[in-house]
Every structure is written in C-alpha cells, then in structure tokens.
Amino acid sequence: MLEYEGVQYKGFRNLYNEDGEAIGFQVGIRLITYRGAWLSQFRFAYVEVDGEKYRADRCTFVVSGVEYTYEETFTLGRVKWPLDEAMIIRVKKPGGLSQGNHTVSALYGEVASYIPGDAGEIDETRTSHGHSEAIGFTREMIIV
Amino acid sequence: MATPAIKGPKRGVSIYSYSGEWGVTMNLEDCFKDIYDMGATGVEILANGHIDNYPQPTNEWMDNWFRLCTKYNITPVEYGHWVTSRLYRGIMELNTEESLRMLKQDIILAHRLGFTVLRTKLGVIDWILTPVRNWREIILGALDLAERYNVCMCPEIHQPTALSSKMVADYVEFIDKYQTKNFGLNIDFGTFQNVWSKDRPPIPGVPEDGSPCSYPHELRALLPYIHACHAKFNNMSEDFQETTIPYPEIIKEFVDGGWDGYFLSEYEGPHKDEPGFVSEQLKRQHVMMKRILGY
C-alpha cells in the first residue's frame, strides 16, 4: 500500500555507483487523485531538499520499473503512471544527501482534460499540486 | 444470492467515493465489502484508476474481478473512463482518430468486465464544460462497436451543466437523430444542489443567487435517455438527510416515471481521506435512499 502523503518515505535513500560512491538520491511520489495518468500528462517542477531545488534536468523518473527522462515522458501517451504506484524520482547529486534529517518536498501534477483551463505547466506561485488537496507534499525524512 | 430483480431505481456505489483511502487503507475488495454491507448491488469503477495494469489487465486481475462480483453480489454497472483530449502538450483537442482509439479500447474492456454503461468523459473546452468540438465524430465512430458489445456511452451531466442547457439538448438531438441505444446520459445529482455554504466562491455557470442549476421536474422528459445516475452527495446528517440536494423530489421523478437503472453514490464532501468517514456517509445515504424507495 502507498503512504497517504504525496512524498513517500518508502524508497527514500541515496544512490551509489559500482564503486560505492554516492551519486545522488531517490524519492517516491504518488498521485493524490482518483485516476491514474498517462505519462504525457505528467507535469513536474522540482524536488526540493533543505531549500535546494532539483529540477527536471537533474532528475529521471521511474515508473513500473522503467526509467525515463522528463522529455521522454512528453510523448508517452500510452504509458501509464498507475494510481496505486509510487513514481521514483532519481536525482543526480554527487555525494548524495548527508546522513540525518532532511526536509523534502516535491511539486508535480497531471493534466485533466475534463477540468476547464487545465492545460499547461505547473504554476509555481501556487503552493499546491494542481487539483489535489495541498497535503503531504513536504515531509521530514532521514537518510541513514 | 442472486441479485433481486427489481425494476426501478437500484442502489449502487461508485468507487470514486473511496478515493481518499484507495491504495492507502482500502483496496478493491475492501470497497466491495463495504458496498455489500450496505446492501447495494451495483458498482462503478474508474477504469484508469481501479484496474491494475489498465488498459491491459492480467488474467489474474480479471479472475479476481469476477470472483469479487460473485462473492459480494455486485453487478458491474458503470465503467468510468476518459477520452483524454489534452493528452499531449500544446494540443487542447486530440484528433478524432486517436480519441476513437482510446474510446474503442474502453468499450471492449468494459464489456469484458461485464459493464453495460460507460461514463464517457469527454474533454472540455470552456468553463461551462462544453465538450470538445469533435464529440459527434468521436461518438459516431464508436456507435457500431458499442452496439456490438452492448454498452451505452453516457456523458455525465454535471454541475454547472443544467438539464435545460444546450449541451443536453445537443446530446438528445444526437440520440434521436441516430435512433441509438448506445449513447445516452448519466445525470449527476449535483446539478440539483440548492443549498450552499455561505462563503461559497462563485462557481462559473452556477447561478449566483443560490438557486440550483436544474430542478427535479426537468428530469421527466429526459428519463428515456438516462442510463445511470451519479447519486452525488455532499453531506449526510445524523438523521439521514442530505442537506444540500433534494433527494426525495429527485427520486420521486425516477420512480413516477418508471425509470429502471442504478443510482451510483458519489461522495463529494470533506474528510474523504479520514479512514471510515466516507463509509459512514455512504451508509447514511443508503439508509435515506432505502427509506425513500421503500426497498
């Protein structure tokens, strides 16, 4: 089962290369709505950790075990981000995140054709994900 | 236990109601158990959210679906799906060909799962929910397939759309013109909402003076076109009254008109993510509907 919050604690950890060097970190997010999205409907602004924003150019996105760049998702109108599956965001950050507490948030959404005027990119001046309630997008989480 | 052969309005639930708990504290079987507990016999699912591996469910998922329907005496009534018009960046209205591809895929899957009604959600192009300009071509292109698979595609008439609107008149005209049983209407009872919170912000298309978008008596002429309803509700009081939507008047229209079909509960109020809250609201609503219907 998923965690209630948009940002998932499960899966939050550093990523390492074959030499054991930390090259980044990953964090899961889920859709807080009532239907899944096609990947072409996915909109992403950033993952933010302790005030530093990591935008799409430093991230890849893993859905059902397949890793995509943000640009690749634009044309994937037949690949699904299931409602009950966390999408894992892998973030490039040499050295990874430091051991201890971190404040983690994410700003993302999906386009809904049946809602008027909902067409484009995320308005970052709004604090909440487009159509969902503004809950759980910021969490305190520990890196071991 | 066989489904009682009631002719008239029957009670069902849309899994939409459980969306605050779905995948977190409830799965499909949990929802079916809850529906069974309230003696409801029909269900609506939202294909894009509730079918694992949609649009290609596994045989295991299909087997489990039919097992659950049998075990909990649930009839698959309405299959909610979307014709996603804004699928790609910069395109506000998807072309007819790709829209049809999506629609046909859903017609076939709905039939495989035993559904007879589709809540066909078309993309909208303005704030009063006018459907995409090519809706006629899309629906026309799918009518033969819908007939072969014995399903009826139904756009949802949803607040702020009024029963007396041009949109509804256009749909009715289309149905009459093609004499089709495979395209119809789903009425969402939110269009009858006549009580609002005092600090309600203006809702585009909803009368600002607090009057409802539609009145129950307007249902009469439309009953032959209606294949399912969303029994939308916002607040059930402890004494089993819906405080914002005139249920007794609405249900009377369906009963007096000899309508046969399902009311599928859609809870639209707050606290959806509070475990058990929606279940309690649903049970109160079903007490109300059972009392009004007399069965």
Side-chain angles (χ1 to χ4, degrees):
Chain A
M1 294 297 237
L2 294 163
E3 296 158 55
Y4 172 66
E5 292 83 355
V7 171
Q8 302 280 296
Y9 210 148
K10 262 181 253 171
F12 179 59
R13 58 181 169 81
N14 276 330
L15 298 167
Y16 299 88
N17 66 13
E18 287 170 0
D19 300 327
E21 297 161 351
I23 53 171
F25 65 93
Q26 68 169 38
V27 62
I29 55 172
R30 76 163 178 114
L31 287 163
I32 301 189
T33 178
Y34 51 89
R35 55 181 204 130
W38 302 106
L39 275 185
S40 56
Q41 296 178 282
F42 173 56
R43 297 292 184 269
F44 175 78
Y46 54 78
V47 167
E48 185 172 345
V49 180
D50 305 327
E52 183 173 356
K53 286 176 178 155
Y54 302 88
R55 293 185 179 272
D57 59 339
R58 295 179 70 179
C59 300
T60 55
F61 305 84
V62 182
V63 177
S64 306
V66 181
E67 185 171 10
Y68 305 98
T69 66
Y70 190 45
E71 286 70 23
E72 281 172 331
T73 67
F74 294 3
T75 56
L76 297 178
R78 300 187 188 189
V79 179
K80 186 80 185 310
W81 177 11
L83 181 59
D84 52 6
E85 182 186 311
M87 172 191 284
I88 298 294
I89 304 176
R90 291 183 180 153
V91 183
K92 290 186 195 71
K93 179 180 170 60
L97 295 173
S98 61
Q99 189 180 63
N101 296 293
H102 295 280
T103 303
V104 183
S105 65
L107 187 62
Y108 59 95
E110 51 105 15
V111 169
S113 309
Y114 58 97
I115 294 175
D118 176 27
E121 302 304 314
I122 291 169
D123 178 358
E124 293 188 24
T125 61
R126 292 172 61 182
T127 53
S128 74
H129 160 211
H131 305 292
S132 294
E133 295 163 66
I135 48 98
F137 291 90
T138 300
R139 292 185 82 173
E140 299 295 323
M141 308 199 291
I142 293 171
I143 287 282
V144 176
Chain B
M1 186 175 86
T3 304
I6 300 165
K7 189 172 178 338
K10 290 172 270 286
R11 293 181 292 117
V13 176
S14 175
I15 303 288
Y16 169 85
S17 294
Y18 299 105
S19 52
E21 293 196 60
W22 178 268
V24 180
T25 49
M26 291 181 87
N27 63 18
L28 191 62
E29 181 151 10
D30 296 324
C31 297
F32 271 48
K33 280 181 187 169
D34 203 46
I35 295 168
Y36 184 74
D37 285 345
M38 61 190 90
T41 57
V43 73
E44 173 184 49
I45 63 165
L46 304 176
N48 199 337
H50 303 144
I51 300 174
D52 280 0
N53 210 38
Y54 170 88
Q56 284 102 24
T58 60
N59 288 340
E60 289 73 24
W61 191 90
M62 299 281 289
D63 289 347
N64 189 51
W65 167 254
F66 290 114
R67 180 187 69 83
L68 293 177
C69 289
T70 302
K71 182 175 178 186
Y72 298 105
N73 188 37
I74 303 283
T75 300
V77 176
E78 188 168 61
Y79 174 100
H81 71 106
W82 287 262
V83 181
T84 305
S85 55
R86 284 174 238 152
L87 187 59
Y88 300 111
R89 282 171 167 72
I91 298 173
M92 293 299 283
E93 294 178 69
L94 194 67
N95 65 41
T96 302
E97 188 188 353
E98 192 151 3
S99 301
L100 262 172
R101 178 192 65 80
M102 257 188 268
L103 176 52
K104 288 180 173 181
Q105 174 175 275
D106 281 311
I107 287 172
I108 294 167
L109 182 53
H111 172 79
R112 286 177 65 205
L113 297 177
F115 289 95
T116 49
V117 180
L118 277 74
R119 192 245 36 211
T120 298
K121 197 71 143 180
L122 298 157
V124 304
I125 57 170
D126 62 26
W127 287 93
I128 56 166
L129 312 184
T130 302
V132 287
R133 284 167 298 185
N134 59 343
W135 74 263
R136 288 181 179 80
E137 289 75 21
I138 296 170
I139 297 301
L140 201 54
L143 277 184
D144 283 351
L145 195 73
E147 186 176 6
R148 194 187 319 158
Y149 285 95
N150 189 34
V151 295
C152 183
M153 300 173 278
C154 295
E156 178 188 30
I157 307 307
H158 188 284
Q159 183 195 106
T161 305
L163 297 188
S164 60
S165 63
K166 179 175 184 303
M167 189 197 304
V168 173
D170 285 350
Y171 288 147
V172 165
E173 184 194 346
F174 181 96
I175 296 162
D176 287 343
K177 180 177 174 185
Y178 294 101
Q179 289 291 302
T180 179
K181 293 184 176 356
N182 302 104
F183 185 64
L185 303 174
N186 168 316
I187 305 299
D188 182 294
F189 293 170
T191 192
F192 305 112
Q193 182 172 350
N194 57 10
V195 175
W196 312 84
S197 60
K198 287 195 184 78
D199 51 357
R200 175 196 101 182
I203 304 170
V206 173
E208 282 181 30
D209 65 359
S211 54
C213 298
S214 308
Y215 293 91
H217 69 83
E218 294 171 316
L219 282 164
R220 214 163 297 167
L222 293 174
L223 289 180
Y225 302 96
I226 301 170
H227 295 261
C229 292
H230 278 158
K232 173 64 52 67
F233 68 112
N234 300 303
N235 179 52
M236 288 298 307
S237 65
E238 283 180 17
D239 60 348
F240 310 108
Q241 307 294 316
E242 214 297 332
T243 59
T244 66
I245 294 168
Y247 265 81
E249 291 86 343
I250 296 167
I251 292 180
K252 185 172 190 305
E253 289 294 335
F254 284 98
V255 171
D256 289 355
W259 186 79
D260 186 30
Y262 271 90
F263 295 158
L264 299 156
S265 299
E266 270 197 347
Y267 176 66
E268 199 78 290
H271 306 295
K272 286 182 87 166
D273 43 28
E274 212 173 280
F277 189 92
V278 171
S279 174
E280 171 97 351
Q281 283 283 306
L282 282 166
K283 284 171 181 170
R284 288 180 186 177
Q285 189 210 20
H286 279 250
V287 167
M288 173 187 70
M289 292 198 290
K290 210 169 170 177
R291 286 179 178 176
I292 296 172
L293 289 166
Y295 53 82

